Amino acid sequence: MMKRVLVPLMVILLIAGCRGKPEVVEYPNKPPVVYFANVPPEYDTLSHAVKIYWYGYDPDGIIVKFFWAVDDTIKREDVLNSGWHGIPFETTLVFYDTVSVEPLEIETITSTRYNLITEDVLAFSAPQIDTAYEHTVYIKAMDDDSAFSEVAAKRIFAKNNYLPHPKIIQVGDVTFDKEGNPQDSLIFFMREDTTPYWKGIAFYVSSVDSDRVFTPEYSYRWDGGEWSEWTSESIFYFTGGDVETLMTTGYHTFEMLVRDDAWAVSRETLRIRIKTVKREWNKDTILLIDETYDYNAIPDTQFIRKDSVYVDSVMDHFYMKVLEGDGWTVKEIENGIGFPLTYDFYDSLARYDLIVYVSDDMQTRQLGLNEQTARMLMDYLNTGGHLLVWGCTIPYQLITTAGKYGRPLFVYRFSIFDLRYLVSGQFEFLRGISVNEDLFPSLEVDTGRIITPLAEQNGAISQVGAAVPINSYIIYLFDSRTDLDLFEERGCGFRYKDDTYGVVFYTFPLYWMKMEDFENCEPVRTVVQNSIKYLRGELEIK
């Protein structure tokens, strides 16, 4: 039965096949249609920035691209943004089929008719306030046969604008308050080129604009010079190589204008006055900053009288003995009068490749390495320099009085962290145990010269710091009298050096270490001399 059915069917199909192929009917392509929807009405006078929605529809295919034009649909070389501009399908454009309201991926659409709902924001030019500018927006579509809409959607807007106002946020490491006042002195070191830690003096700028939609642009100049090209960057870095006048030590004026997305330029000009100090790298002389609080007592260079050990002439004798060496001299800045360094010392610090900063006091002082000092030293190291630091109160000052600059200084430049110190009366520091006796002999506290009775009684001193190295290397390990876990065998002497800067930091006062005699000051002199040679690149330590 099956065979009787199949044979006639095959014959019918063969006969039908002999009659030829069916005629193919070609239909002309129908152009896409585009129109506005949910947009402000004709001649709307609201903000210069308008969010525009439009729909596209192709009855026999798909729309592959939209085009927009504002005011002029003909491309003219001398007219900015004239002519048509394509809008390819990107993440902001979503496909919808004629049935579902859910967005579909392009590859999964099978319907032959599509609605496209799109949106964009246009900011019209309105350079003058209190003036309405008329702008015409055109939208057209192109389908998959490269056919364009026969009629472009068109809408006319009348727009005005509010002027922008320039604003400064931060210069270098100095922030500004809401009224535009700096929170610290605008003084900075200046060099011609950059370092890995210093790209130049940074200016962080912004604008106040009640109707801003797109990123504004800025133009600036220095000391009344030429205005820069407009740029949308909001962070500027200036070196002496960028602005030659900044290499002259003194005050300089930065001016800035802002232009909003409607091309209106601020009426007021932002003006910031800063002082730059030209960096130099004098290697023939070491700068000594003596922070030790000197007593007004009769000098005694042999330490016969304990009340004479802080006398200025005694301290100067010690510093010169341990610091002076072959190939360099020492210039001293006396600051042992009980007041911290101020920004007036910027000019002095700028000239030297190596600075020695010391404070051999035995008592806690809320002075010395305060915020201004820490900020100057941070700026000094960032722009290239070398620093030898020691002292009993310096770790304390870094943590308690240096404020926001203290921690960045010892973490990011001294390359140590978790810096802690013995509080006053906590007599624990016995000695610094060297990890390299040949170059840095171990140093032991000389309690026979210490004024404090409890320190002499315990054979140890307080207010010494201990920390953990990050990238730095330990020179001395902390030896605690009672084996305190928080301090024992942590670092109390560190060294770090790279191509930009170098630091040697001792958290204890070298002046109070045992010495053979006060004439040669050994072994302290060997420690100081090798520290200097290491920072100068004359001593390689493996």
Side-chain angles (χ1 to χ4, degrees):
M1 188 67 180
M2 183 64 69
K3 290 182 180 180
R4 294 196 193 106
V5 175
L6 290 177
V7 171
L9 284 174
M10 292 175 63
V11 172
I12 293 171
L13 291 173
L14 288 173
I15 295 172
C18 294
R19 294 179 180 176
K21 297 181 179 179
E23 182 180 355
V24 177
V25 180
E26 293 187 3
Y27 295 93
N29 179 55
K30 295 181 180 181
V33 179
V34 64
Y35 54 92
F36 288 110
N38 299 324
V39 296
E42 195 90 326
Y43 290 99
D44 172 70
T45 57
L46 295 177
S47 167
H48 71 281
V50 182
K51 194 168 188 177
I52 299 176
Y53 297 86
W54 65 89
Y55 285 93
Y57 172 69
D58 187 19
D60 59 356
I62 62 173
I63 293 176
V64 296
K65 201 171 189 179
F66 284 108
F67 292 82
W68 65 269
V70 174
D71 295 338
D72 195 345
T73 59
I74 300 175
K75 178 64 178 177
R76 307 177 196 278
E77 296 299 330
D78 59 338
V79 179
L80 182 66
N81 286 331
S82 61
W84 290 99
H85 304 272
I87 309 175
F89 288 136
E90 296 176 350
T91 55
T92 56
L93 307 182
V94 182
F95 280 95
Y96 288 85
D97 63 21
T98 55
V99 179
S100 173
V101 295
E102 295 297 325
L104 302 174
E105 296 294 334
I106 295 177
E107 293 79 9
T108 63
I109 295 178
T110 57
S111 174
T112 58
R113 303 174 65 192
Y114 301 91
N115 283 328
L116 291 145
I117 179 171
T118 66
E119 65 180 68
D120 208 343
V121 177
L122 295 179
F124 301 104
S125 63
Q128 301 296 328
I129 63 171
D130 301 325
T131 302
Y133 293 84
E134 286 193 6
H135 296 284
T136 305
V137 178
Y138 303 89
I139 300 289
K140 68 179 181 180
M142 183 180 74
D143 66 12
D144 52 343
D145 284 327
S146 299
F148 290 95
S149 309
E150 292 181 346
V151 179
K154 175 183 174 182
R155 185 64 56 94
I156 299 175
F157 300 94
K159 295 303 172 184
N160 54 24
N161 182 33
Y162 298 98
L163 285 181
H165 305 275
K167 179 182 179 181
I168 187 72
I169 298 175
Q170 184 172 331
V171 175
D173 52 2
V174 180
T175 57
F176 286 68
D177 62 19
K178 293 181 179 179
E179 285 71 40
N181 301 311
Q183 302 302 290
D184 205 341
S185 295
L186 297 175
I187 181 171
F188 308 93
F189 287 126
M190 176 56 61
R191 58 179 289 161
E192 214 167 14
D193 55 352
T194 63
T195 76
Y197 313 99
W198 188 83
K199 297 180 180 180
I201 300 176
F203 278 69
Y204 298 81
V205 301
S206 182
S207 67
V208 178
D209 189 355
S210 59
D211 59 351
R212 190 191 86 183
V213 175
F214 296 107
T215 304
E217 295 179 311
Y218 306 94
S219 179
Y220 57 83
R221 68 178 181 177
W222 281 99
D223 297 333
E226 295 292 326
W227 287 98
S228 70
E229 297 291 332
W230 290 102
T231 175
S232 60
E233 296 293 329
S234 59
I235 304 176
F236 310 122
Y237 294 92
F238 299 105
T239 68
D242 301 321
V243 184
E244 187 176 352
T245 58
L246 296 181
M247 288 299 290
T248 302
T249 295
Y251 289 92
H252 303 277
T253 301
F254 171 84
E255 296 177 283
M256 187 188 76
L257 297 169
V258 58
R259 182 172 72 180
D260 67 13
D261 48 3
W263 282 47
V265 178
S266 56
R267 283 178 176 172
E268 72 270 35
T269 300
L270 175 74
R271 290 182 176 87
I272 303 294
R273 192 165 181 255
I274 71 170
K275 180 180 180 181
T276 62
V277 181
K278 179 183 177 181
R279 278 301 313 272
E280 300 176 30
W281 292 272
N282 181 353
K283 295 180 180 292
D284 296 329
T285 304
I286 292 175
L287 179 65
L288 167 63
I289 303 175
D290 177 6
E291 282 278 354
T292 304
Y293 188 82
D294 302 326
Y295 284 106
N296 186 20
I298 300 173
D300 187 341
T301 59
Q302 296 302 316
F303 300 128
I304 297 173
R305 294 166 47 115
K306 287 188 176 182
D307 61 355
S308 67
V309 294
Y310 274 133
V311 175
D312 182 60
S313 60
V314 175
M315 300 307 302
D316 288 346
H317 173 85
F318 167 72
Y319 291 136
M320 292 305 112
K321 281 295 182 181
V322 298
L323 289 172
E324 287 183 338
D326 295 333
W328 64 83
T329 59
V330 179
K331 176 181 174 58
E332 181 180 6
I333 294 179
E334 282 279 1
N335 197 45
I337 57 176
F339 298 101
L341 293 180
T342 66
Y343 290 138
D344 293 335
F345 286 89
Y346 247 96
D347 295 71
S348 300
L349 271 59
R351 305 188 186 108
Y352 300 95
D353 179 71
L354 197 155
I355 295 174
V356 180
Y357 183 94
V358 296
S359 177
D360 281 294
D361 295 309
M362 286 299 296
Q363 75 275 21
T364 298
R365 284 196 299 141
Q366 297 277 347
L367 299 170
L369 215 161
N370 64 349
E371 281 204 16
Q372 291 193 14
T373 309
R375 182 188 167 206
M376 282 191 292
L377 294 181
M378 177 76 81
D379 201 5
Y380 170 81
L381 294 176
N382 287 343
T383 52
H386 300 88
L387 186 63
L388 171 57
V389 184
W390 76 72
C392 202
T393 60
I394 285 178
Y396 172 85
Q397 293 162 344
L398 274 174
I399 296 173
T400 59
T401 66
K404 66 178 181 179
Y405 297 107
R407 190 175 187 278
L409 181 60
F410 73 74
V411 172
Y412 299 116
R413 291 300 166 262
F414 290 5
S415 197
I416 58 177
F417 75 100
D418 196 19
L419 176 60
R420 58 191 62 179
Y421 65 95
L422 297 170
V423 298
S424 180
Q426 194 176 13
F427 300 99
E428 283 290 338
F429 181 72
L430 294 173
R431 65 183 63 84
I433 302 174
S434 176
V435 299
N436 189 333
E437 285 285 351
D438 293 336
L439 298 178
F440 301 96
S442 294
L443 298 176
E444 183 178 352
V445 172
D446 186 355
T447 55
R449 292 192 290 111
I450 296 177
I451 299 175
T452 306
L454 288 176
E456 184 175 5
Q457 178 182 339
N458 289 280
I461 58 176
S462 62
Q463 298 170 206
V464 175
V468 177
I470 302 176
N471 295 317
S472 62
Y473 296 92
I474 291 178
I475 299 176
Y476 288 106
L477 296 171
F478 190 109
D479 186 15
S480 169
R481 180 176 64 89
T482 62
D483 298 332
L484 287 178
D485 291 336
L486 294 177
F487 294 88
E488 185 71 14
E489 294 191 356
R490 293 165 64 94
C492 58
F494 305 89
R495 60 179 175 88
Y496 176 81
K497 187 173 180 293
D498 59 28
D499 292 337
T500 301
Y501 76 94
V503 173
V504 173
F505 179 39
Y506 300 110
T507 66
F508 54 92
L510 298 184
Y511 178 68
W512 296 102
M513 300 300 104
K514 284 185 178 179
M515 293 177 276
E516 296 174 0
D517 57 65
F518 200 54
E519 189 57 36
N520 59 44
C521 298
E522 291 293 356
V524 174
R525 175 177 164 79
T526 294
V527 172
V528 173
Q529 290 290 305
N530 285 338
S531 300
I532 293 173
K533 291 176 181 177
Y534 166 74
L535 292 173
R536 287 169 58 90
E538 299 171 0
L539 178 64
E540 183 177 353
I541 304 175
K542 296 182 179 180

